[in-house]
Each structure stands twice: as C-alpha cells, then as structure tokens.
Amino acid sequence: MKQENIRNFCIIAHIDHGKSTLADRLLEYTQTVSGRNMQAQVLDNMDLERERGITIKSHAIQMTFHFEGEDYTLNLIDTPGHVDFSYEVSRSIMACEGALLIVDSSQGIEAQTISNLYLAIGNDLEIIPVLNKIDLPHSMPEEVSDEIIDLIGCEREEIIPASGKEGTGVDKILEAIIKKVPPPKGDKEKELQALIFDSEFNPFRGVEVIFRVVNGTINKGDKVKFMATGKEYLADEIGVLKLDQEPRKMIEAGDVGYLISGIKQAKEVKVGDTITHVNKPSESPIAGFEDVKPMVFAGIYPVETSEFEDLREAMEKLQLNDAALVWEPETSAALGFGFRCGFLGMLHMEIIQERLEREFDMTVITTVPSVQFKAHLKKGEPVDVQAPAEMPEPITIDHVEEPFVKAQIITKSDFVGPVISLCIDKRGILKNQNYLTSDRVEMTFELPLAEIVFDFFDRLKTISRGYASLDYELIGFQQSNMVKLDILLNGEKVDALSAIVHRDKAYDWGKRLCEKLRELLPRQMFEIAIQAAIGAKIIARETVKAMRKNVTAKCYGGDITRKRKLLEKQKKGKKRMRQVGRVEIPQEAFMAVLKLD
Ligand code: GDP
Ligand code: MG
C-alpha cells in the first residue's frame, strides 16, 4: 500500500455518544466485517465491555476502502469515553493523524467531548466533527451544531450529520477521512522506529504487541530490539489487525500492526517503547507517552492466603493488558500478603477486580481506597502516603498536603444551584462559569481529589437527574487538615479499615462508619465491639450482638436438603470474607466508607 493511501484515525467522544456503534457501520460499509460476524459494538470484544456496554480498552482495526479509483488502508482506533480511561485515549491519539469527534445531537457537548478534543488538538490531529444520532426525535441538530462551531471554530458545512443506528452519513465520513486526514509522514527507508501503543497477553501465543511504524520497515523474521528495555527478539509473526489477526511479510512506515515473538514475561513490554532493528538501530526512540498517574490506591489481597503467588502472576498478566495499572507487594497486619495497587479511578478499580476474578479465577478482597497524601515532617524529607497505614505518627508531622483537581462540570442551568451546593459540601471552590447555550452551563471548580473520586459522580447524576457530565485533571497538592481514622474490632486495630479524612468531617465519619459496619458485619457466637479512633481517642462505638443459636436451627431440624442448601449458601457468602483475629469481615465492609452519605 502506498503511504499516501494510508489514513490513521481514532474516534473520540463523550461516553455513550455512539463511537462503537458508528465504528460498526464503518466496518460494515467497508466490508471489513461481513454479515455473519457482525454483532453490535463488534470491537468491544471483552466480556465485561459487552455486558456493561462500555469501551474499556482502545481497539485497533484495519479497513480497506475503494474510493475514486484508488484503494485506501484505513486504520481505525475506537477509544473509551469514561474519564477513568482518558489515558487509553491519549495513547491512541499518538498513533493517528485524524480524529472523528462525535457529538450526540440529542445531548450536546459534554465534559469528555471537550477533554478528548483538547488531547487531539494538542497532538495536531485533523478534527472531523460528526453530529450523531440524528434519527432521534428529540435530536437538536441546530443547537448542537452551534455548540460544535463554538468549540472548534469550524464551518457549519464541515459538520457531518450521521446516525450510527441507521447508517446515515457513513459515506460522507469515509470521504472526509480520505480527503481531510493527512497521510502519515514517516520515511520507510529510514531506520526502524515503531511505537508500541498497546499490548495484550494471549495465554497461548504470549505477548502481542500493537504498534504504529513511524519510520522504516519491519519484516517477518527481523531481529528487533525494544529500546527502553534493551531486550532483543525475533519478529516471528507480524501482521495487520482485521477482525482477526492477518499475518503479513512486512509492514512499512505509516501503518499499524501487531508483533508476536514468544515474549512470555508481561514485564518485558512497555507501552510507549520504540521497536527498532538490532543491526541498523535508530539513534533515538520516539518521544514516548507521559507516565500514567494513578489517582486511587487500594490493597488487593487473596481471600485464600495460599493464593498470593497466583495473584502475583495474574497481576503481571493483567498489567500487560492495562498499562495504567501499577502495583507493588504490601503486607497488612490484618490481611497478610497482598498488593498495593494504583488505579485511574473507581471504575478502573472495579474492572480490575472483576477481571482478576473472571479471567484469572482469583477471589480477592480490596481494601479501603485512598488518594495519595504528602506528609511533611518536622524533620526530614516529606513522605508519600498511599495507604492510611503509611501515615507517620501525628506527633512527627508538621503538615499534610492532599491532591486537588480542576473539575469541569457541564449541566442544565436549572441545576446550577444544587451542583454548587454539592461542590461546596465537598470542600470545593467555584472558579468559573460559562454558558454554552442559554440553557447549558460549563462550571469549573477546584476540589480535593479525595472528595470526587469516590461517590461524587453518582451524587452529581442524582441531583441533576442525569443531566451533568464531569471531567477532571490533577492540578497539584495543597495543605489540608487531614487525620487518620482507625477502626478497632474488639479492641484490635484493623489496618485495612483505616481511612484518612478531613478533621472537620472525622467525627461524623467515625460515627456513621461504625453504624454501617454494625449492619455489615455478620453476627457471630460472641459480641463484637466496633470503635472508631483518632490516635488513642475513641470517637464512636457500636456493638454487634452475639448470635444465640446455630443458623441451621432455623430449619426445625427437619428437612435435610434445606439444611444443606442453607449451608451451601453460607459457604458461598463466605467467599469474599476475611477472618481478622476472630472476626469475619465481608468485602462490603472495606467499601463502606464510600457509601456513607
Ligand atoms: P460509545 O460509548 O460512544 O461507544 O457509544 P455506543 O456506540 O456504545 O452507543 C451508546 C448507545 O447509544 C447504545 O445504546 C447505542 O445503541 C445508541 N446509539 C448509538 N448510535 C446511535 C444512533 O445513531 N441513533 C440512536 N438512536 N441510538 C444510537
Ligand atoms: Mg464504546
């Protein structure tokens, strides 16, 4: 394929504005996927993605399209829209020259429309605006076009009206991709530089590396080197990504492909690394990606302590597939050996937990999530605190800083009041307010990250009846009056239940957390005292009464199958429990702090 006939583009949008559905139509129109293999959101091939109806990972696929007497290769990358996964978007963007910016014509511009657009503009991508879902009766093409023109400064005629559902506008979109997106610039005669922008672990074939050749040519059988790790491999198999992998003899500058070379160790591949030739290496790697910054930290522990090594292996494999996941071993007095993990947000954390269980058959407990604090000591270097257990003794601390974010909220003007109250309750400050139309407002707040990563978005949705979107970015650390709140069960501190909270909220938290734990801890043959403490000072207390009789007694001693069923049920319920001292703690207890209001 001639380089001037290659187009690399991604699809960006706010969540649910129809990226994956439009991708389906492009694949059909170009006959990349035929009738028999077609299913809705065909690129969302992970079970979890299909069930939840969301895109979690970016997906690359190659299409061939005949246009005005020429054959074109179009490499499409579908991207996730949720704020937790903007890192996936930024990687995809680096492998493209153009972006389809999709806006739902019944919703208008939302928070991730703007943040993803800025990522694309920052990388000099050609933007093709698409007004989607025009089939909907409550579609507002005029108003939403005004918003788009206002946002990107394009002409009205440049906006392509489309319906991913009905296939309207697909021909216009393909034409615009060919006419407006520039072909890749690289030189295929130069030394090889291929950017790794994704990777996947296949249990049978080892690590599959997804790359974009920026300069040079890679051939099957070449001896290649990954520049950051210095490791050398034989390119056993290279090829392009259609619905399935299609092996090729060579891949030239400008194109996207995959590489399989029997890499067994997940750690060996670093997304953002550059592949070059061993014999004729490039002098420098491609300027890579920024390292991912995890926002939320939590411990992950096996329910069965004997499964620690299995869990380590699972984490290594998962990390290969998810460059945003970071982790290191950790020990908890209560839970034993496990891992401290960094996540992009709560959805990311939930997904990691679910993938560990589904794809690796692990049963795990995750501990109370926390953001990273900085403790400045009276003497010595400041300490990064990613878990409450790492907080130094109060007496040694001079002051504590916590991370703050700039948050963009877009909502209907009716909900401005409630949104501001919510943000103030969360220790936020309103910085700016901007009317997108007479009826829709964009507000900017500064907020502590700790107040928004957990249940903020759910509350925002509730108070705005669904009409609010949120995007945020870290802006740095600021001093805050934080304290460590400990939980004691029968007088024993359970480190995995500690949390770091603002002093003004600590008493209230302690009280409500004890109440919540009283509901969640199963009754046992003895009484359980639940206490909340700041340092040595007890600030709240609740009691779980002892159970008087054996549970099976409920079955009147008669029906044996019923008895067995009950025991079975108990056993299942036990799966996600950890014994700490004599007390059994269910998974929900570790998440209780997130559901206090
Ligand atoms: P994504 O999150 O941007 O990938 O969005 P999806 O493609 O998963 O679509 C979100 C929802 O909108 C799904 O329920 C789709 O069926 C629906 N949808 C997508 N495109 C259209 C469209 O053009 N018209 C209508 N009426 N619904 C659409
Ligand atoms: Mg999608």
Side-chain angles (χ1 to χ4, degrees):
M1 180 65 56
K2 281 185 292 183
Q3 197 170 320
E4 52 274 29
N5 287 10
I6 297 178
R7 300 291 181 275
N8 298 310
F9 70 100
C10 55
I11 309 186
I12 55 176
H14 191 73
I15 193 161
D16 274 350
H17 280 205
K19 292 178 294 293
S20 300
T21 306
L22 195 72
D24 289 352
R25 296 294 88 74
L26 295 173
L27 297 178
E28 270 176 354
Y29 198 90
T30 55
Q31 289 163 10
T32 309
V33 183
S34 61
R36 197 162 45 84
N37 289 320
M38 195 64 213
Q39 47 176 341
Q41 282 109 8
V42 66
L43 293 180
D44 290 345
N45 54 10
M46 247 158 64
D47 283 352
L48 250 169
E49 293 182 315
R50 302 206 65 86
E51 268 166 43
R52 295 186 173 219
I54 55 168
T55 308
I56 297 168
K57 277 188 66 71
S58 293
H59 299 273
I61 190 161
Q62 185 172 95
M63 306 180 278
T64 315
F65 186 53
H66 194 73
F67 183 76
E68 293 180 350
E70 293 267 346
D71 275 330
Y72 289 88
T73 293
L74 311 179
N75 291 306
L76 173 163
I77 305 177
D78 184 19
T79 66
H82 192 282
V83 57
D84 277 16
F85 304 117
S86 58
Y87 178 70
E88 286 278 327
V89 182
S90 64
R91 285 180 3 212
S92 312
I93 280 174
M94 288 199 62
C96 298
E97 280 81 31
L100 294 179
L101 179 74
I102 313 253
V103 183
D104 182 334
S105 60
S106 70
Q107 302 285 324
I109 284 166
E110 299 282 7
Q112 273 84 46
T113 317
I114 299 180
S115 57
N116 288 335
L117 172 71
Y118 286 168
L119 278 175
I121 291 176
N123 282 279
D124 290 330
L125 264 52
E126 178 68 33
I127 309 291
I128 299 173
V130 176
L131 186 66
N132 197 26
K133 305 198 189 180
I134 52 161
D135 60 284
L136 287 174
H138 53 286
S139 155
M140 309 172 291
E142 289 309 312
E143 288 92 324
V144 177
S145 293
D146 287 342
E147 286 182 18
I148 295 174
I149 292 165
D150 212 38
L151 181 67
I152 62 179
C154 62
E155 301 294 325
R156 189 170 296 268
E157 304 71 56
E158 288 178 73
I159 304 174
I160 304 172
S163 162
K165 187 173 172 203
E166 297 180 342
T168 327
V170 170
D171 49 343
K172 294 267 178 343
I173 291 172
L174 286 165
E175 183 179 342
I177 289 165
I178 287 167
K179 290 196 167 154
K180 288 172 72 179
V181 176
K185 284 203 194 70
D187 182 348
K188 65 180 180 200
E189 307 300 332
K190 270 193 167 165
E191 293 84 20
L192 176 66
Q193 282 180 313
L195 175 72
I196 302 176
F197 69 92
D198 203 0
S199 65
E200 194 138 354
F201 186 83
N202 180 318
F204 305 106
R205 315 186 69 189
V207 180
E208 301 166 359
V209 176
I210 318 292
F211 59 84
R212 149 92 191 256
V213 184
V214 177
N215 283 305
T217 303
I218 182 169
N219 297 282
K220 179 179 158 65
D222 280 354
K223 257 180 104 179
V224 294
K225 181 164 90 174
F226 290 7
M227 295 185 81
T229 60
K231 298 247 184 195
E232 296 180 6
Y233 307 95
L234 217 52
D236 294 331
E237 179 178 324
I238 56 170
V240 297
L241 296 152
K242 302 273 177 137
L243 195 55
D244 298 309
Q245 296 165 336
E246 281 185 16
R248 291 278 190 277
K249 289 239 158 54
M250 74 176 182
I251 298 176
E252 294 177 331
D255 219 341
V256 171
Y258 71 89
L259 163 81
I260 295 175
S261 49
I263 306 173
K264 289 280 179 285
Q265 278 284 328
K267 294 194 284 261
E268 291 176 41
V269 179
K270 208 169 156 260
V271 166
D273 199 356
T274 302
I275 308 173
T276 192
H277 281 126
V278 171
N279 293 330
K280 201 182 156 212
S282 157
E283 262 176 25
S284 58
I286 302 149
F289 312 105
E290 271 178 45
D291 268 343
V292 231
K293 285 197 202 75
M295 297 271 190
V296 181
F297 298 84
I300 293 190
Y301 289 82
V303 166
E304 298 296 333
T305 44
S306 59
E307 287 182 353
F308 174 72
E309 281 306 323
D310 297 337
L311 181 58
R312 178 199 293 277
E313 212 172 287
M315 299 281 291
E316 277 176 8
K317 287 179 180 164
L318 204 52
Q319 188 175 35
L320 177 81
N321 198 245
D322 184 341
L325 172 67
V326 296
W327 53 276
E328 55 184 43
E330 163 184 84
T331 332
S332 148
L335 300 176
F337 293 107
F339 300 96
R340 170 101 333 221
C341 307
F343 308 98
L344 300 174
M346 292 303 287
L347 177 62
H348 186 213
M349 173 168 156
E350 236 177 80
I351 281 165
I352 294 294
Q353 182 174 352
E354 257 192 82
R355 290 184 69 185
L356 281 171
E357 307 211 328
R358 284 171 185 228
E359 294 168 33
F360 300 95
D361 205 19
M362 302 294 313
T363 313
V364 296
I365 289 270
T366 49
T367 65
V368 181
S370 169
V371 301
Q372 175 175 315
F373 296 91
K374 240 189 222 337
H376 291 264
L377 305 178
K378 288 176 183 152
K379 266 192 222 134
E381 291 291 301
V383 182
D384 284 338
V385 179
Q386 291 177 353
E390 291 170 7
M391 189 59 99
E393 283 305 314
I395 188 137
T396 64
I397 298 176
D398 183 68
H399 67 277
V400 176
E401 287 184 331
E402 67 173 329
F404 271 69
V405 298
K406 191 169 94 183
Q408 241 92 33
I409 296 175
I410 297 181
T411 189
K412 285 196 169 182
S413 36
D414 300 356
F415 303 115
V416 167
V419 169
I420 291 178
S421 315
L422 172 65
C423 290
I424 289 174
D425 182 45
K426 297 289 188 183
R427 302 190 277 132
I429 299 168
L430 178 65
K431 285 289 184 184
N432 194 19
Q433 195 168 335
N434 166 32
Y435 277 78
L436 297 171
T437 60
S438 59
D439 175 40
R440 281 163 40 85
V441 193
E442 179 190 8
M443 288 181 277
T444 309
F445 292 90
E446 270 180 34
L447 280 151
L449 176 65
E451 297 281 355
I452 74 158
V453 275
F454 304 127
D455 68 336
F456 181 82
F457 191 51
D458 290 338
R459 285 190 60 192
L460 183 66
K461 282 273 179 197
T462 310
I463 58 163
S464 64
R465 300 206 203 102
Y467 288 108
S469 59
L470 164 75
D471 195 72
Y472 56 81
E473 58 176 337
L474 277 179
I475 51 172
F477 283 80
Q478 293 178 20
Q479 187 170 340
S480 280
N481 194 353
M482 308 307 290
V483 291
K484 185 170 152 222
L485 188 80
D486 292 317
I487 295 293
L488 293 81
L489 298 181
N490 284 344
E492 230 182 292
K493 200 194 284 180
V494 181
D495 57 358
L497 283 173
S498 297
I500 296 169
V501 298
H502 196 266
R503 189 180 290 276
D504 293 348
K505 295 188 170 182
Y507 279 82
D508 193 38
W509 263 63
K511 183 161 165 286
R512 284 191 294 162
L513 188 52
C514 286
E515 286 166 7
K516 194 87 193 177
L517 288 172
R518 189 194 59 206
E519 287 167 26
L520 291 172
L521 293 182
R523 290 172 76 175
Q524 303 193 19
M525 302 307 283
F526 48 88
E527 193 175 274
I528 308 168
I530 307 167
Q531 293 168 306
I534 299 174
K537 192 168 165 202
I538 305 294
I539 58 167
R541 177 190 163 116
E542 292 284 337
T543 310
V544 179
K545 293 246 165 59
M547 187 161 54
R548 247 183 272 141
K549 293 196 189 82
N550 197 305
V551 265
T552 50
K554 264 195 235 149
C555 299
Y556 316 106
D559 186 349
I560 184 73
T561 51
R562 231 177 111 190
K563 214 180 222 175
R564 199 171 288 141
K565 262 191 197 144
L566 193 61
L567 283 172
E568 252 340 278
K569 213 168 134 198
Q570 261 190 319
K571 227 162 102 196
K572 268 218 185 106
K574 242 187 207 150
K575 264 188 96 188
R576 286 261 212 124
M577 293 245 205
R578 269 306 279 270
Q579 182 103 20
V580 176
R582 288 167 70 210
V583 183
E584 283 189 323
I585 306 179
Q587 167 73 72
E588 302 84 69
F590 296 99
M591 295 295 137
V593 282
L594 308 180
K595 305 207 167 86
L596 287 185
D597 359 49

